[in-house]
Amino acid sequence: LLSLKLENKTKGKLQKQICQVVLDHFEKQYSTELGDVWTSVRGVLTYPSCWQHAILLNKFSHTTDLEDTLCVQGYQSAFRGTLPHLPRSLKCYVSRTPRRFPSQKHQTGKLKEYYLLNAASMLPVLALEVKDGEDVLDLCAAPGGKSVAILQCACPGQFHCNEYDELRSRWLKQTMESFIPQPLFNLITVSNLDGRQIGDLKPEIYDKVLVDAPCSNDRSWLFSSDIQQATLRLLQRKELSVLQFQLLRSAIKALRPGGSLVYSTCTLSKAENSDVINLILNSCTNVMPVDLSEIAKALSQEFAFHSDMQQHELLVLPEKGRAWGPMYVAKLKKV
């Protein structure tokens, strides 16, 4: 029994080790793409103990006592700048010092009071600016954090949460059941359709679409415990931008004229971020970029934004003391 415990403990340590194959790949790519900035970003990405977690309160179940506890423990509101769109019902707290608030387990029939997430994950939702009564599609919704956040902001007329991967789709459903009261949950469509086909299946249906695309997740990839799997991921990395482009084309088809789309990833990769958006802008005549510079200006104290970006995009760089991101966000409007 003792040897088994030691073995499990060793396995736990191994899982937290940096995957050298991935780090070498990132080193080559990001030192070119980010220049001198990469050195400080790498220092944060390779040091998980400095990563922070924000606490998104669930308006359907949280109590005043919880907010009081957070304030006593030194947490403060994550979004204090004057944002173009910040619903009063959205409450998200962060701590300046790295710490992890205890997570809550899923309990059938009982709603969770909060959701733990990277604070930068809220930026796509804030950029989407969902309002009551609008028809909304979350195209790649699992594990469900952004879907939950959207419902903290507004009450959509029609809310469609989609996740193609079957296992992740079950995870999405469980998340929604943990945070959304049954009467409201019954009004939400949760599907596992191929996101590339939704535009043809549901043309010009939605006012707002979020495409939080499958991407090379820099944080998790760096700590891959399976070197063979990590190597395969890196070899297949180029294919992700093709999928992302196809998902965006589908999302544009699903949008009504005048509707808005937000594209996001949790990678620093230019090929999966700016290059994909530029390809869409160059190939689709019915979309135009939307300026996000007001968000960057309002939240410049909370997040470290990469300066070398166009006005319709944001890139949050992990930084010590503000260890959020990576998170890329771009916004488009259908004309």
Side-chain angles (χ1 to χ4, degrees):
L1 184 64
L2 181 60
S3 62
L4 184 63
K5 283 182 179 179
L6 287 170
E7 186 183 335
N8 289 336
K9 195 173 181 181
T10 306
K11 281 182 182 176
K13 283 183 179 178
L14 287 172
Q15 285 174 350
K16 293 179 184 178
Q17 287 183 345
I18 292 167
C19 182
Q20 195 61 45
V21 173
V22 176
L23 182 58
D24 290 345
H25 180 89
F26 284 1
E27 191 75 46
K28 187 177 179 181
Q29 180 180 350
Y30 294 149
S31 58
T32 302
E33 292 182 7
L34 300 174
D36 295 341
V37 175
W38 166 241
T39 304
S40 59
V41 169
R42 181 187 60 206
V44 174
L45 283 179
T46 56
Y47 191 52
S49 60
C50 77
W51 298 356
Q52 293 156 278
H53 294 86
I55 300 168
L56 174 66
L57 301 191
N58 184 11
K59 71 178 182 182
F60 302 110
S61 77
H62 88 260
T63 63
T64 307
D65 289 347
L66 175 57
E67 287 192 71
D68 291 342
T69 300
L70 291 171
C71 291
V72 167
Q73 292 188 14
Y75 284 84
Q76 56 194 20
S77 176
F79 308 108
R80 288 167 294 149
T82 308
L83 282 158
H85 181 74
L86 183 61
R88 291 179 67 183
S89 56
L90 180 71
K91 295 186 177 182
C92 187
Y93 285 84
V94 295
S95 169
R96 282 292 178 195
T97 54
R99 63 175 85 175
R100 180 157 185 135
F101 209 69
S103 58
Q104 294 180 312
K105 289 183 178 179
H106 173 73
Q107 295 181 55
T108 304
K110 186 176 181 182
L111 296 181
K112 293 184 180 182
E113 291 186 301
Y114 55 86
Y115 189 96
L116 299 178
L117 75 172
N118 186 313
S121 298
M122 293 301 300
L123 295 181
V125 175
L126 291 170
L128 197 60
E129 298 187 6
V130 175
K131 297 177 179 65
D132 289 346
E134 291 182 326
D135 295 329
V136 182
L137 167 65
D138 189 350
L139 191 68
C140 314
K146 292 180 182 68
S147 295
V148 168
I150 286 169
L151 290 167
Q152 304 304 312
C153 294
C155 185
Q158 176 189 170
F159 193 25
H160 182 178
C161 303
N162 181 70
E163 176 55 50
Y164 182 48
D165 183 271
E166 197 170 323
L167 185 65
R168 287 173 61 83
S169 184
R170 290 202 294 270
W171 187 5
L172 168 64
K173 284 179 184 174
Q174 188 179 87
T175 300
M176 300 299 277
E177 287 170 359
S178 291
F179 286 90
I180 311 304
Q182 198 63 46
L184 181 57
F185 183 64
N186 289 338
L187 301 175
I188 298 167
T189 301
V190 180
S191 66
N192 64 330
L193 300 168
D194 186 335
R196 294 169 293 186
Q197 297 173 1
I198 283 182
D200 291 323
L201 294 170
K202 296 180 178 292
E204 300 193 347
I205 294 288
Y206 304 100
D207 301 297
K208 302 281 170 72
V209 178
L210 175 63
V211 184
D212 185 44
C215 67
S216 48
N217 186 324
D218 294 353
R219 283 189 186 226
S220 66
W221 281 26
L222 262 175
F223 293 90
S224 302
S225 56
D226 186 330
I227 294 174
Q228 283 186 321
Q229 185 190 51
T231 305
L232 183 63
R233 278 175 171 173
L234 293 172
L235 288 170
Q236 295 174 338
R237 198 177 191 196
K238 292 176 186 174
E239 297 170 18
L240 283 168
S241 59
V242 176
L243 171 62
Q244 291 154 351
F245 177 78
Q246 292 169 338
L247 289 170
L248 276 170
R249 286 289 295 265
S250 176
I252 292 164
K253 286 181 184 178
L255 261 184
R256 291 183 180 128
S260 299
L261 176 155
V262 167
Y263 173 75
S264 61
T265 74
C266 53
T267 180
L268 296 162
S269 175
K270 184 173 174 287
E272 298 176 51
N273 296 338
S274 299
D275 289 355
V276 173
I277 291 297
N278 288 337
L279 188 58
I280 282 289
L281 289 170
N282 290 331
S283 61
C284 299
T285 56
N286 60 343
V287 289
M288 59 183 289
V290 178
D291 192 348
L292 292 178
S293 57
E294 284 298 310
I295 291 179
K297 185 179 175 183
L299 299 177
S300 60
Q301 298 303 308
E302 283 83 3
F303 300 97
F305 293 107
H306 189 27
S307 57
D308 189 23
M309 304 301 288
Q310 297 183 74
Q311 287 189 321
H312 60 272
E313 54 185 359
L314 306 169
L315 179 61
V316 178
L317 300 172
E319 185 180 271
K320 285 178 183 174
R322 294 187 293 189
W324 315 113
M327 179 59 60
Y328 174 81
V329 184
K331 187 171 183 178
L332 306 174
K333 182 176 181 179
K334 188 171 182 177
V335 292

